[in-house]
Amino acid sequence: MIALSTITLLSVLCTAVDAFSVPNVNATFSKSPKPFEIRVDRNFIEDTRLRVAHARAPVFMGAIGEGPSPENYTNVRDYWVNEYDWNTTESSINRKLKQFTTVVAPIIGNSSNPVPLHFVHHRSSRDDAIPLLFIHGWPGSFLEVSNIIDDLTNPPNRSVPAFHVVAPSIPGFGFSPAPQRPGFGPVETSHAFNALMNQLGYQKYVIQGGDFGGVILRFQAHLFPKNVVSVLSNFWIIQPGENDIRRLAEGLSTPDEVAYINILETYINQASGYRVMQETQPLTAAFAMSDSPLGYAMWIFALMNEVIDPTVKSWTPEEIITWSMMYYIQGPYGGMRFYKEVANDGALEAADFGTLPLVEVPAAISQFPYDITYRMPLEWAKRGGNVIRRNVHSHGGHFAAYEVPHLLLQDIWDWFGDEETSGTKAFIN
Ligand SMILES: *[C@@H]1O[C@H](CO)[C@@H](O)[C@H](O)[C@H]1NC(C)=O
Ligand SMILES: *[C@@H]1O[C@H](CO)[C@@H](O)[C@H](O)[C@H]1NC(C)=O
Ligand SMILES: *[C@@H]1O[C@H](CO)[C@@H](O)[C@H](O)[C@H]1NC(C)=O
Ligand SMILES: *[C@@H]1O[C@H](CO)[C@@H](O)[C@H](O)[C@H]1NC(C)=O
Ligand SMILES: *[C@@H]1O[C@H](CO)[C@@H](O)[C@H](O)[C@H]1NC(C)=O
């Protein structure tokens, strides 16, 4: 009897481990890529709308700079309750982006744990196309690739490079299920994404990323220098050191150094509260965020709004809701607590940024005025690795691929099109 129930229990456990799922989504994951279309349970969509309809607002007291404005709150609430049409959103994402699910099993140390992934994959028809891994960040998702993907796979002419584009969801974001236990951070993500590229037949590839994408690419390029040929980051962060701060105090810093330190200090002191919470007590926040779609939308909108260029873009209620849904559908806890894992892997230290692994392969960086890496000098960037080129723009912000796609595209074409400097001559047969 005992033996039999033990066997039954074991087989139940094994099935449970193998059967990955995403809450509220019709998704299956198997050992090789399968086409995927987003299909969210309509009862969940209606439950979400009702929660928004019943949301309770804070009693506002006219303070500014403490979060989104009361107007933002009512705009998003009213749009969500009366106009937001998930059916249209879902079908337009499915139409625009070819998505897949798979399971990869990277070997880390002596063990191999299966990792279920959701990803976008568009192949170019150009015979000389370069495989490009696009990695999104917080509080974004794979949707960040939407505005550049067509020009990457199908550029206007042969004088600029073409790419096979792979844009996965970090586990816990979008439709990649959250890890089932703690311990899955940027190191594990980079192992999983390298395994994904290999599974798709791309032994060598380049990476582009901002925010967490810019963090993960540094781990991935460091860990897999034979696979990652070259990188372009629009979030190459270097925390100023003691010597930099002393030079600032002594008035010895260059104008770029002063500007960068000020931007970083302003972010850390005035706009990073969400981050410290997610790094330390993500579950405390996740109880409220899982329960309140509107509260969660305001939680991410606070940052979304802080880091875009208002002369280029303003967020619509539709975008704010859809971006928050990319977390809310599966439940936001997994994505939120990624900060804790990033801190565990050393890339964040309380309110500061930590030390990232050295990138030995050729790297380029792009900086946009409303992002927090703006004006960081090239000499500082080189502390993080082999950074060869720095593009400084006069427009745009943190979500460059989405916000100023034409500017980022030009940087991607220029950098990876420079075969000698970027190393992409490795792709020429
Ligand atoms: C769920 O997806 C499978 C294939 O991935 C499909 O056959 C099935 O019809 C879908 N179910 C619903 C309710 O959409
Ligand atoms: C958010 O509030 C600001 C200031 O009131 C306003 O300029 C902006 O248009 C609002 N955005 C939305 C989506 O409500
Ligand atoms: C959305 O789709 C569901 C089922 O697919 C349908 O029941 C519902 O009426 C649709 N909603 C709208 C607003 O079209
Ligand atoms: C892998 O296993 C070998 C043999 O059991 C052991 O010596 C080694 O330390 C292990 N490596 C890691 C990274 O755990
Ligand atoms: C090819 O396209 C790029 C990007 O749009 C453009 O800058 C370049 O002038 C074009 N070259 C030719 C020869 O048309």
Side-chain angles (χ1 to χ4, degrees):
M1 275 310 279
I2 289 167
L4 185 60
S5 61
T6 309
I7 290 167
T8 313
L9 180 62
L10 272 178
S11 69
V12 167
L13 282 175
C14 293
T15 314
V17 168
D18 285 337
F20 294 110
S21 62
V22 182
N24 305 309
V25 184
N26 181 20
T28 55
F29 296 85
S30 45
K31 290 199 170 85
S32 60
K34 295 282 179 309
F36 168 81
E37 291 204 338
I38 305 168
R39 170 114 199 114
V40 180
D41 179 357
R42 291 305 188 268
N43 293 327
F44 170 80
I45 295 296
E46 180 56 12
D47 172 79
T48 301
R49 196 187 69 83
L50 288 175
R51 282 171 196 266
V52 175
H54 293 152
R56 177 173 178 237
V59 178
F60 298 111
M61 53 179 81
I64 52 165
E66 294 187 4
S69 67
E71 177 197 352
N72 295 152
Y73 177 88
T74 50
N75 282 348
V76 173
R77 182 196 59 199
D78 293 351
Y79 187 85
W80 207 329
V81 173
N82 302 316
E83 293 178 67
Y84 187 66
D85 178 5
W86 174 256
N87 291 6
T88 306
T89 300
E90 187 182 81
S91 46
S92 78
I93 298 171
N94 287 336
R95 226 179 9 255
K96 168 89 194 171
L97 299 172
K98 280 183 225 143
Q99 302 157 73
F100 301 83
T101 57
T102 193
V103 177
V104 294
I107 296 160
I108 306 179
N110 281 340
S111 61
S112 158
N113 288 312
V115 181
L117 293 174
H118 160 259
F119 63 100
V120 172
H121 186 198
H122 286 200
R123 280 186 62 84
S124 173
S125 59
R126 278 247 307 254
D127 54 6
D128 62 344
I130 297 169
L132 181 144
L133 174 66
F134 175 94
I135 313 178
H136 71 84
W138 168 276
S141 67
F142 67 100
L143 295 180
E144 289 175 49
V145 83
S146 311
N147 296 339
I148 55 171
I149 195 162
D150 292 341
D151 285 314
L152 290 175
T153 52
N154 188 22
N157 59 61
R158 289 192 78 95
S159 71
V160 292
F163 300 91
H164 303 305
V165 179
V166 180
S169 298
I170 300 169
F173 297 67
F175 303 100
S176 286
Q180 294 174 343
R181 59 191 71 82
F184 196 99
V187 170
E188 289 73 16
T189 305
S190 60
H191 278 271
F193 286 176
N194 184 61
L196 173 64
M197 293 305 277
N198 293 346
Q199 187 185 75
L200 295 172
Y202 305 134
Q203 297 303 322
K204 287 184 189 295
Y205 55 91
V206 300
I207 313 182
Q208 203 288 313
D211 196 86
F212 281 150
V215 171
I216 292 166
L217 71 76
R218 284 162 76 173
F219 284 93
Q220 198 161 331
H222 175 76
L223 288 166
F224 304 101
K226 291 197 168 68
N227 304 94
V228 181
V229 168
S230 181
V231 298
L232 170 61
S233 171
N234 59 302
F235 189 76
W236 190 276
I237 197 109
I238 298 284
Q239 182 70 30
E242 276 172 31
N243 192 38
D244 304 320
I245 301 300
R246 189 177 45 72
R247 288 180 59 244
L248 181 73
E250 291 168 2
L252 300 173
S253 304
T254 67
D256 266 4
E257 290 169 349
V258 174
Y260 174 60
I261 292 173
N262 282 335
I263 291 167
L264 207 53
E265 285 296 300
T266 305
Y267 162 76
I268 287 171
N269 294 328
Q270 290 172 30
S272 69
Y274 74 95
R275 201 191 94 181
V276 175
M277 194 68 206
Q278 293 178 197
E279 245 176 85
T280 56
Q281 295 265 297
L283 185 56
T284 303
F287 285 120
M289 300 304 163
S290 309
D291 201 43
S292 171
L294 184 54
Y296 184 69
M298 292 297 105
W299 181 258
I300 68 166
F301 179 59
L303 182 66
M304 284 164 73
N305 208 32
E306 200 76 33
V307 293
I308 58 160
D309 181 345
T311 67
V312 175
K313 169 161 187 65
S314 55
W315 294 104
T316 64
E318 206 281 328
E319 288 173 305
I320 298 165
I321 298 167
T322 299
W323 277 45
S324 67
M325 287 295 267
M326 293 301 118
Y327 297 80
Y328 193 74
I329 290 167
Q330 70 161 298
Y333 178 41
M336 292 173 76
R337 77 175 301 289
F338 196 69
Y339 277 86
K340 190 163 191 114
E341 300 291 354
V342 174
N344 288 344
D345 284 349
L348 295 173
E349 286 176 9
D352 289 345
F353 291 87
T355 307
L356 284 149
L358 268 191
V359 171
E360 269 114 22
V361 304
I365 60 175
S366 294
Q367 301 178 348
F368 298 87
Y370 283 80
D371 202 358
I372 64 175
T373 60
Y374 190 54
R375 292 187 68 178
M376 187 187 56
L378 183 60
E379 297 70 44
W380 289 26
K382 285 178 190 290
R383 296 173 190 171
N386 184 17
V387 181
I388 295 170
R389 188 174 299 172
R390 169 186 181 243
N391 307 302
V392 183
H393 293 279
S394 55
H395 298 288
H398 187 64
F399 305 102
Y402 192 79
E403 186 189 355
V404 281
H406 51 291
L407 297 181
L408 189 67
L409 268 172
Q410 201 58 58
D411 290 352
I412 293 173
W413 282 331
D414 288 348
W415 172 242
F416 296 122
D418 184 342
E419 291 155 357
E420 285 300 323
T421 315
S422 74
T424 54
K425 62 177 184 292
F427 294 100
I428 301 169
N429 296 318

